[in-house]
Amino acid sequence: MEVKLIAHTPNPDFVVAAAARTCYTTLPISTLMDRLDEEQAAEYVEMLSEMGHESPIEHVSFTFAIEGVSRSLLAQITRHRIASFSVRSQRYVSEKKFDYVTPPQIADCPEAQAIYDEIIEAEREAYNKISALLLEKRLAALPEEKREDKATVAAQRKIAAEDARYVLPNACETQMVVTMNARSLKNFFRLRCCNRAQWEIRELARRMLLEVRKVSPALFRDAGPACLSGPCPEGKMSCGKMAEMRKLYGGE
């Protein structure tokens, strides 16, 4: 898994502080920005967090490049609706040599790993065979002069891949660019940094949090699982490791 913050709103703490102060003054926004220094902006952001006043933080956004994750993770992260996603297409990109993600539990069990690798290889072979058969059938239906045209063959290969991809596993590796505003990110961290979140998206959330803390430590100081700043919301399903989680994510 590779996670990198590739873009974000410049001076996020200043933007959030200015947006919040705009609600309570007649001063021009440019003046508000000029009167803020780093310490004041950080203090204002922390005050908003303590008040639970989160609407001003929607004005800043963060964009991540994410690679080496599974299609299973993709199905989970796209449930977070206040976000933008650009994902490698299985319609237009061939998966004939696809890489795949192996869950730690399987990697730790040699017998399970052997079965897993065997099935993945069978799915890769099936994908390639089905793609070839569908392409052959589609080309056979075209006039002979079209069968040698590179652009036509490429277009037909993509159409064949549309249906061949149905045999691809959830383990199939993918990549994406994801953008969220800070409020959506903090909600994402509350849910996905939790010990009860699935291992892959939990690791993704942890790495994303480390990235945004580098550029906006005040804004994400209290970000992490819900138990970081209050009781565990999982009730009887709690992992029972609140102290450990607070130590890991920097809570009090």
Side-chain angles (χ1 to χ4, degrees):
M1 181 186 296
E2 297 289 337
V3 180
K4 185 177 181 181
L5 182 66
I6 58 174
H8 61 85
T9 302
N11 303 315
D13 292 349
F14 282 77
V15 172
V16 170
R21 293 182 67 182
T22 296
C23 302
Y24 306 104
T25 183
T26 59
L27 290 174
I29 297 170
S30 58
T31 302
L32 292 178
M33 293 287 285
D34 290 340
R35 290 185 178 182
L36 283 170
D37 58 32
E38 288 187 14
E39 184 177 351
Q40 290 172 326
E43 288 176 354
Y44 215 92
V45 166
E46 289 176 7
M47 182 187 69
L48 291 172
S49 178
E50 291 170 1
M51 294 169 57
H53 185 31
E54 293 192 321
S55 62
I57 71 176
E58 294 178 13
H59 292 291
V60 298
S61 63
F62 301 81
T63 299
F64 304 86
I66 300 169
E67 300 180 65
V69 295
S70 70
R71 300 287 293 196
S72 180
L73 181 142
L74 175 63
Q76 295 183 76
I77 195 171
T78 50
R79 292 174 185 168
H80 294 269
R81 294 170 179 83
I82 312 301
S84 300
F85 303 92
S86 297
V87 183
R88 186 173 68 206
S89 172
Q90 288 185 333
R91 290 182 66 199
Y92 299 111
V93 179
S94 172
E95 296 285 8
K96 65 181 180 180
K97 295 181 179 179
F98 71 83
D99 290 323
Y100 57 95
V101 174
T102 301
Q105 283 195 94
I106 293 177
D108 288 341
C109 178
E111 295 87 352
Q113 180 75 72
I115 295 170
Y116 188 75
D117 290 342
E118 181 180 351
I119 291 174
I120 292 289
E121 185 55 40
E123 290 173 318
R124 184 187 283 120
E125 185 177 342
Y127 171 83
N128 291 331
K129 286 182 176 178
I130 292 172
S131 295
L133 287 168
L134 294 180
L135 176 60
E136 182 181 355
K137 182 178 179 181
R138 295 194 65 85
L139 292 177
L142 296 175
E144 188 171 348
E145 64 273 13
K146 287 285 188 180
R147 298 173 199 168
E148 302 300 324
D149 180 67
K150 289 184 178 180
T152 299
V153 173
Q156 295 304 312
R157 182 174 287 111
K158 288 181 175 63
I159 295 173
E162 287 184 355
D163 288 348
R165 64 182 170 150
Y166 277 69
V167 302
L168 293 172
N170 274 338
C172 190
E173 197 176 275
T174 192
Q175 62 188 37
M176 68 189 83
V177 172
V178 178
T179 300
M180 294 188 193
N181 69 47
R183 189 177 191 178
S184 294
L185 263 178
K186 294 184 79 169
N187 178 63
F188 175 74
F189 295 143
R190 275 193 290 270
L191 298 173
R192 302 301 188 170
C193 288
C194 174
N195 252 348
R196 296 201 65 243
Q198 187 260 356
W199 69 269
E200 189 180 15
I201 199 165
R202 185 172 69 244
E203 177 62 14
L204 173 65
R206 186 187 70 84
R207 295 191 187 197
M208 290 169 66
L209 177 52
L210 290 175
E211 287 288 290
V212 295
R213 277 182 172 173
K214 293 175 185 176
V215 299
S216 188
L219 187 54
F220 294 99
R221 177 184 59 82
D222 63 344
C227 65
L228 202 64
S229 55
C232 174
E234 296 293 327
K236 293 180 179 180
M237 301 298 287
S238 172
C239 71
K241 298 179 179 179
M242 185 182 297
E244 183 180 316
M245 296 299 284
R246 289 184 174 183
K247 182 177 180 181
L248 177 63
Y249 287 98
E252 297 298 329

